Amino acid sequence: MKVGIVLYPTFGGSGVVATELGNELAKKGHEVHFITYKEPVRLNMFQKNIYYHEVSLTDYPLFEFQPYETLLASKIVDVIKYEKLDLLHVHYAIPHASAAYMAQQILKAQDIKIPFITTLHGTDITLVGKDPSFEPVITFCINNSNAVTSVSESLKKDTYAHFKVDKEITVIPNFIHTVPQIPHVNPNVRRCYAQDDERILIHISNFRKVKRIDDVMKIFDLVHKEIPSRLLLVGDGPERAIAEKMCRDLDLCGSVRFVGKVRNTQEVLEFGDLFLLPSQTESFGLAALEAMAVGVPVVSSNTGGIPEVNIQGYSGYLSDVGNVEDMAKNAVKILKDPKVLNQFKQNALERSKVFTFDKIIPKYEQLYKQVLSESKN
Ligand code: GMT
């Protein structure tokens, strides 16, 4: 199959999922064409069956805002026509689904049929999409996609709750490569981050408000009072300054390390004893799954799709949003006793195996086949 994938090229989960999906489809022999405005961070361009088409932005004094959606739609038309794609798969509804719809209509006028699939990732529905100024376009594009998928049951429910959507939504969870067993880390490298008797807690995100970085700091402060520990903060974003200030105010600077943006998060996660994800909302929580896939248990909030990934008392613990005392108590419960910690690590790895590539990618391939055969009739 020749598949076009439209995505955000950044560190955000939707871009990571779209890139990894494309990489995997290419390995399976499909021809994959990525379409976006910058080289995706997780994309290895020099691979068989992988192509990248960049949407170049025009700078014209009349445009106070760049007409990205129009440029994207034009690029999609171009790629579909000249690369002879069979199908288009867009990740994140805004503005990818509306650009796909427009491209589909333009091509229809030229007697070219192209179905498109929209995958909903989270904030396109739960935060941005709910904004009434986006609603009519999102509702229309979801209803007019040839197929719609969501990354969790929770996101599917939210979509039906907030939009007048009558289109069937297929849940296809996110996926991961797991390690066969918990990796042995090089003690000398580990000592760069923590003493041998200290536990390592990790948080990875884009440091947006929704991630509740202040809760990460509060939880760590409580844990640190009971257990010798360090916190590694991976990623960057608008809330970083707040986290830095809290570090100083709580006198934690010596124990907190801002690692910054990291392409291969697994390299850092391997050093982790516990992953913190106290988000306000999270449609799935890919970062938590990535942690579990190298045997790191998760202390998280119980919002959105997180309970579909992290299992209470097994791969970690879940608490109400903002209940930092409970999250800290659960973290201590896991970290205090090496035997308990080891059991949680094994469980986290085991749980992540539900979401391996070999189980999830065929679900997308199946959907592609179904959509293609429907669109031919
Ligand atoms: O978490 C973010 O802010 C990034 C966002 C994105 O669209 O890139 O992530 C969303 O999609 C991920 C991949 O499907 C999910 O794992 C995240 O839970 C989801 N984020 C939210 O719902 C806040």
Side-chain angles (χ1 to χ4, degrees):
M1 245 178 272
K2 288 186 171 194
V3 184
I5 293 187
V6 178
L7 72 162
Y8 280 107
T10 55
F11 284 88
S14 67
V16 169
V17 168
T19 309
E20 298 292 3
L21 171 63
N23 285 340
E24 219 51 32
L25 290 170
K27 278 188 212 151
K28 294 183 95 174
H30 302 286
E31 193 176 296
V32 180
H33 294 258
F34 288 99
I35 306 172
T36 183
Y37 58 85
K38 201 170 70 189
E39 195 184 320
V41 285
R42 291 258 183 119
L43 180 62
N44 173 9
M45 299 266 259
F46 196 54
Q47 268 187 93
K48 198 176 159 198
N49 297 330
I50 295 269
Y51 299 85
Y52 166 57
H53 307 271
E54 189 157 303
V55 180
S56 43
L57 301 172
T58 357
D59 201 7
Y60 185 66
L62 178 68
F63 301 146
E64 197 176 336
F65 305 102
Q66 299 262 347
Y68 180 63
E69 195 174 334
T70 308
L71 294 165
L72 175 62
S74 299
K75 180 56 90 179
I76 294 173
V77 167
D78 191 74
V79 176
I80 289 170
K81 229 167 130 175
Y82 295 105
E83 300 291 347
K84 306 210 175 331
L85 301 190
D86 298 308
L87 178 130
L88 189 67
H89 187 175
V90 305
H91 289 260
Y92 205 90
I94 308 168
H96 299 157
S98 38
Y101 178 78
M102 181 175 299
Q104 188 182 55
Q105 294 308 304
I106 294 168
L107 288 162
K108 193 174 162 196
Q110 300 173 29
D111 280 334
I112 299 171
K113 239 182 178 182
I114 179 92
F116 77 93
I117 296 173
T118 301
T119 289
L120 307 171
H121 278 276
T123 46
D124 43 356
I125 296 298
T126 55
L127 292 181
V128 191
K130 260 200 252 170
D131 179 338
S133 38
F134 284 109
E135 189 278 324
V137 176
I138 307 246
T139 305
F140 180 85
C141 293
I142 293 176
N143 282 331
N144 285 280
S145 300
N146 295 82
V148 180
T149 77
S150 78
V151 297
S152 63
E153 290 291 345
S154 150
L155 183 58
K156 175 177 171 174
K157 239 171 73 196
D158 278 345
T159 309
Y160 285 129
H162 300 299
F163 297 88
K164 287 191 200 79
V165 165
D166 44 33
K167 187 89 194 163
E168 189 193 331
I169 299 176
T170 307
V171 176
I172 303 185
N174 290 331
F175 43 83
I176 195 83
H177 277 301
T178 60
V179 292
Q181 55 202 20
I182 293 166
H184 287 289
V185 294
N186 179 337
N188 289 324
V189 183
R190 192 186 187 275
R191 279 181 205 121
C192 301
Y193 301 102
Q195 309 286 329
D196 289 352
D197 64 340
E198 288 174 323
R199 301 284 189 223
I200 297 182
L201 289 81
I202 300 183
H203 169 79
I204 303 180
S205 76
N206 50 24
F207 285 50
R208 301 235 168 88
K209 247 197 161 36
V210 66
K211 303 294 173 181
R212 297 184 70 102
I213 305 295
D214 48 340
D215 282 2
V216 173
M217 302 308 298
K218 287 179 199 162
I219 298 163
F220 180 66
D221 183 40
L222 293 169
V223 173
H224 187 254
K225 286 186 173 119
E226 289 202 39
I227 289 184
S229 49
R230 299 276 178 127
L231 173 65
L232 301 183
L233 290 168
V234 181
D236 210 335
E239 298 287 293
R240 176 164 172 168
I242 289 171
E244 283 171 347
K245 183 171 181 319
M246 285 183 79
C247 253
R248 290 178 216 123
D249 294 348
L250 295 166
D251 197 18
L252 285 173
C253 292
S255 304
V256 178
R257 174 100 169 246
F258 288 84
V259 180
K261 289 182 183 173
V262 170
R263 262 172 207 262
N264 183 1
T265 48
Q266 188 179 332
E267 278 173 9
V268 183
L269 283 167
E270 284 182 1
F271 293 99
D273 295 303
L274 190 73
F275 189 81
L276 298 176
L277 192 68
S279 305
Q280 181 71 34
T281 155
E282 202 70 64
S283 69
F284 184 88
L286 183 65
L289 179 61
E290 288 186 329
M292 288 158 61
V294 288
V296 180
V298 174
V299 161
S300 66
S301 53
N302 54 15
T303 180
I306 303 180
E308 294 170 48
V309 180
N310 186 21
I311 304 299
Q312 175 78 342
Y314 181 72
S315 55
Y317 285 104
L318 302 95
S319 313
D320 291 341
V321 172
N323 192 346
V324 290
E325 287 78 20
D326 197 52
M327 291 186 206
K329 201 180 76 201
N330 289 333
V332 170
K333 223 191 289 183
I334 294 174
L335 294 171
K336 208 170 48 190
D337 178 346
K339 261 202 206 138
V340 174
L341 175 59
N342 196 42
Q343 188 59 57
F344 270 93
K345 284 189 169 195
Q346 296 295 344
N347 296 349
L349 180 58
E350 210 42 50
R351 174 65 189 158
S352 73
K353 289 179 185 162
V354 171
F355 303 94
T356 49
F357 276 79
D358 56 315
K359 295 190 184 89
I360 310 295
I361 304 294
K363 293 183 197 280
Y364 278 114
E365 285 177 294
Q366 183 54 41
L367 184 68
Y368 290 177
K369 278 189 206 141
Q370 184 194 317
V371 164
L372 273 178
S373 90
E374 281 167 8
S375 82
K376 272 183 194 132
N377 298 329

